Amino acid sequence: MVASGTPVQADPHNSATLPEEVHNRDQAHHGVTLSRKGSTNRDAAVDITKRLIAGGIAGAVAKTVIAPLDRTKIIFQTSEKKFSARNVVHEIMVIVNKEGFTGLWRGNMATVLRVFPYAGIQFAAFDVYKRALKGGDGSLSSLGRLLAGSAAGATAVSITYPLDLLRARLAVRRSWDKQSSSLAWWDAVTGGTGKISIKELYRGLNPTLLGILPYAGIAFLTRDSLNSVAAKHYHTSTLQTPLVAKMASGAVAGLVAQSTTYPLDLVRRRMQTEGFVETGKLAKEAAEMKEKMGVTGRSTKLVYTSIWGTLNLIYEREGVKGLFKGLSMNWIKGPVAFMISFTAFDYLKLYFNIQGQERQSEGRLTTGAPAHSAQHSPVQT
């Protein structure tokens, strides 16, 4: 018999464990589970944030490098000027003479404000969609890459489109005296209507989405596929392929994507900048009408109201060549931009030591052998 003053001690081998001990053990297990879930969620949030920042920096650097060519291209796209190498040089000299050398980067701040979130969202979304579309064995088909790229492009465009609209309208404007500068920004935001509206901020979105689906899909498919081939050839991960391979795959991706979807990009620019162009016959007529009416912004009736209608008008006025005006400049600008952005994104992913689960499929793509777990290793994509 146990004395009444002696505390009872539990037998660790006794199956009849005291209820209080069971409760404490369950609570401890539950706490560990919640801690692991919380840690996983935090890691995922940090991973996405790093991808957004890396993609944003990569896109901003690429766009800043090609800004002079980009502005010149927009001017040709949105006017009836004949495109040629001589006219491109002449247009650049006109900008420099009127606005100074920094005028070549006019509107680039709006471009960077748009591109940073756009590129960040697009690159991060592509990695997320790519992971979601992988098969049970961790591999990703060409169709999966195409769909992931298209979805990533559409996601980024839908979120950042008003900034692209603003940048295009500022890029085609020529008058930047002190009196008109503030009005120019207000006109660009309101579309010359005097008030801000969602409809005006998203004018031209339809051809943009129609163009970005194949554009982004083809670009990511081409670059990802070529870089995977290079990784297999050099027996390394796609993040660690040689610089030349990264740049070549990015350049080819830009060339293919730009060439296949260019007419829709032209339609987008015409719809975005109608009434804001200050060159060409149509611009002259619009300017005369505005002067008579004593108003600023867009005062003429819109003619670029639909994708097919805009394509038809361009064809009637400028012929088949008009549908591809400025494409040759894109063959320089596009590959350079893609080359810089894709390469920079890869190196920034290495720099930020971005975590993920891609290495399992990486091993199958590059060596054909099962890869080790990547729970505590940098992403290798």
Side-chain angles (χ1 to χ4, degrees):
M1 179 177 293
V2 181
S4 59
T6 305
V8 178
Q9 295 184 356
D11 183 1
H13 301 290
N14 189 352
S15 59
T17 309
L18 295 178
E20 184 178 354
E21 292 182 6
V22 174
H23 175 73
N24 291 339
R25 186 174 59 196
D26 288 345
Q27 286 288 94
H29 178 72
H30 182 63
V32 171
T33 302
L34 289 177
S35 177
R36 288 177 179 174
K37 287 182 178 179
S39 177
T40 301
N41 291 336
R42 284 193 299 272
D43 289 345
V46 170
D47 178 77
I48 292 296
T49 301
K50 286 181 177 180
R51 292 176 193 271
L52 288 170
I53 294 173
I57 294 173
V61 170
K63 275 294 185 181
T64 300
V65 170
I66 64 166
L69 289 176
D70 211 18
R71 186 184 178 192
T72 308
K73 184 203 74 171
I74 291 175
I75 290 173
F76 277 98
Q77 279 186 322
T78 56
S79 70
E80 297 176 2
K81 285 189 173 185
K82 184 178 180 181
F83 181 85
S84 66
R86 178 179 295 180
N87 286 345
V88 168
V89 174
H90 177 264
E91 197 65 35
I92 291 175
M93 293 307 298
V94 169
I95 294 172
V96 172
N97 290 333
K98 287 188 174 182
E99 307 173 34
F101 185 71
T102 57
L104 294 172
W105 279 267
R106 178 76 68 186
N108 188 57
M109 180 59 68
T111 300
V112 171
L113 289 175
R114 176 191 71 89
V115 166
F116 190 91
Y118 174 82
I121 293 168
Q122 184 171 240
F123 278 116
F126 177 66
D127 284 349
V128 172
Y129 290 139
K130 190 167 65 169
R131 190 182 305 172
L133 290 170
K134 284 179 180 177
D137 60 349
S139 62
L140 184 67
S141 65
S142 296
L143 179 60
R145 287 190 176 95
L146 181 68
L147 292 175
S150 297
T155 301
V157 161
S158 299
I159 295 173
T160 64
Y161 183 79
L163 292 171
D164 181 50
L165 180 79
L166 177 62
R167 192 271 299 211
R169 288 175 175 174
L170 292 174
V172 299
R173 189 176 180 91
R174 293 298 183 81
S175 54
W176 285 93
D177 54 77
K178 293 181 179 179
Q179 185 179 3
S180 65
S181 182
S182 59
L183 289 176
W185 279 86
W186 177 247
D187 287 343
V189 172
T190 64
T193 62
K195 59 181 180 180
I196 300 175
S197 68
I198 298 298
K199 181 180 179 181
E200 187 58 44
L201 287 173
Y202 280 87
R203 175 171 163 75
L205 177 63
N206 288 340
T208 303
L209 286 175
L210 187 61
I212 199 65
L213 290 173
Y215 177 79
I218 292 170
F220 277 104
L221 167 64
T222 304
R223 199 275 174 171
D224 218 42
S225 299
L226 291 177
N227 204 40
S228 293
V229 171
K232 186 174 182 180
H233 175 76
Y234 289 104
H235 303 288
T236 185
S237 69
T238 51
L239 263 189
Q240 296 171 330
T241 50
L243 176 61
V244 173
K246 292 180 185 296
M247 296 177 72
S249 60
V252 172
L255 186 65
V256 174
Q258 295 272 3
S259 301
T260 52
T261 62
Y262 189 79
L264 288 171
D265 183 53
L266 189 68
V267 171
R268 170 174 65 111
R269 291 303 184 201
R270 292 290 176 96
M271 294 183 73
Q272 284 180 335
T273 62
E274 184 179 3
F276 291 86
V277 180
E278 299 176 2
T279 58
K281 181 180 178 181
L282 294 179
K284 184 178 180 181
E285 293 175 355
E288 290 175 352
M289 183 175 293
K290 285 197 295 182
E291 186 177 352
K292 290 179 181 178
M293 298 175 66
V295 297
T296 60
R298 187 160 57 228
S299 58
T300 57
K301 182 179 179 180
L302 299 178
V303 293
Y304 298 136
T305 56
S306 67
I307 297 172
W308 176 249
T310 302
L311 287 171
N312 191 48
L313 281 173
I314 295 172
Y315 174 74
E316 288 179 353
R317 292 171 177 171
E318 306 170 49
V320 176
K321 288 184 178 179
L323 296 173
F324 294 90
K325 182 189 288 186
L327 177 58
S328 57
M329 184 179 290
N330 262 28
W331 285 342
I332 299 173
K333 181 183 76 72
V336 172
F338 274 83
M339 178 175 65
I340 294 172
S341 60
F342 276 117
T343 303
F345 185 60
D346 275 359
Y347 283 119
L348 285 167
K349 286 171 77 173
L350 286 171
Y351 177 78
F352 286 129
N353 193 29
I354 294 175
Q355 300 294 311
Q357 300 295 326
E358 288 93 338
R359 184 177 286 184
Q360 291 181 352
S361 61
E362 182 76 15
R364 296 184 180 92
L365 285 172
T366 57
T367 64
H372 298 291
S373 173
Q375 187 175 357
H376 301 291
S377 305
V379 175
Q380 301 292 319
T381 61

